[in-house]
Amino acid sequence: MSSDSEEEQEVPDTLLGSGEYQIVGIRYYNGVAHPGEFVTLVREPRNPYDRNAIRVDNLGGEKVGHVKGTMAKSLASIMDNGNTRLEGTIPRAGNAYTLPLILDFYSNNAISGAAGAAAAAAENLKAELRRRG
């Protein structure tokens, strides 16, 4: 007979897609991110300049910059719905003003309920990114 912990296996998140974005404002902050480094994304809905603002922090928790506003507009709703997890990586060096950012989008299967939800999350993500256009 199996125990409850064996029956409740963790469902891995499903990779929905990836895209390249920009981090802006890097000259205003002390945080630094290098090629190959993972970064974290933090929603800032109370940001006085942009309610869709998404802050980018390095692994040390220092602010590096923000996702470019036109890109943050669609990403904010994706982050706010809680069904999609975003992971960020710096793919290469940028310039004095911007850094490139690769975002991987994962369906949060533990929250959203596995395979059917992963497909629905993928469709929602595609629709949201089309609106970003």
Side-chain angles (χ1 to χ4, degrees):
M1 202 164 202
S2 61
S3 69
D4 287 340
S5 62
E6 289 175 346
E7 289 176 16
E8 292 181 25
Q9 295 180 0
E10 190 171 315
V11 178
D13 290 347
T14 303
L15 177 64
L16 302 173
S18 300
E20 185 163 326
Y21 297 84
Q22 280 188 323
I23 303 171
V24 297
I26 62 172
R27 64 185 178 152
Y28 299 111
Y29 306 106
N30 293 327
V32 176
H34 301 283
E37 186 174 346
F38 288 101
V39 293
T40 58
L41 303 175
V42 180
R43 276 283 287 122
E44 291 185 329
R46 292 189 177 104
N47 183 302
Y49 302 104
D50 182 1
R51 64 185 172 97
N52 295 310
I54 300 171
R55 188 178 77 228
V56 180
D57 293 349
N58 63 20
L59 291 181
E62 298 172 303
K63 187 187 299 188
V64 174
H66 286 85
V67 173
K68 187 174 181 175
T70 55
M71 299 171 175
K73 186 175 181 179
S74 60
L75 292 174
S77 62
I78 292 168
M79 290 179 74
D80 291 345
N81 80 23
N83 291 329
T84 306
R85 179 173 51 87
L86 279 63
E87 290 186 358
T89 309
I90 305 300
R92 62 186 172 280
N95 58 41
Y97 304 99
T98 65
L99 271 176
L101 171 67
I102 296 291
L103 290 179
D104 294 329
F105 298 82
Y106 292 89
S107 74
N108 198 341
N109 291 338
I111 292 173
S112 59
E123 288 306 313
N124 289 340
L125 175 62
K126 287 176 189 174
E128 189 65 41
L129 293 176
R130 276 193 297 272
R131 280 193 288 267
R132 175 181 72 138

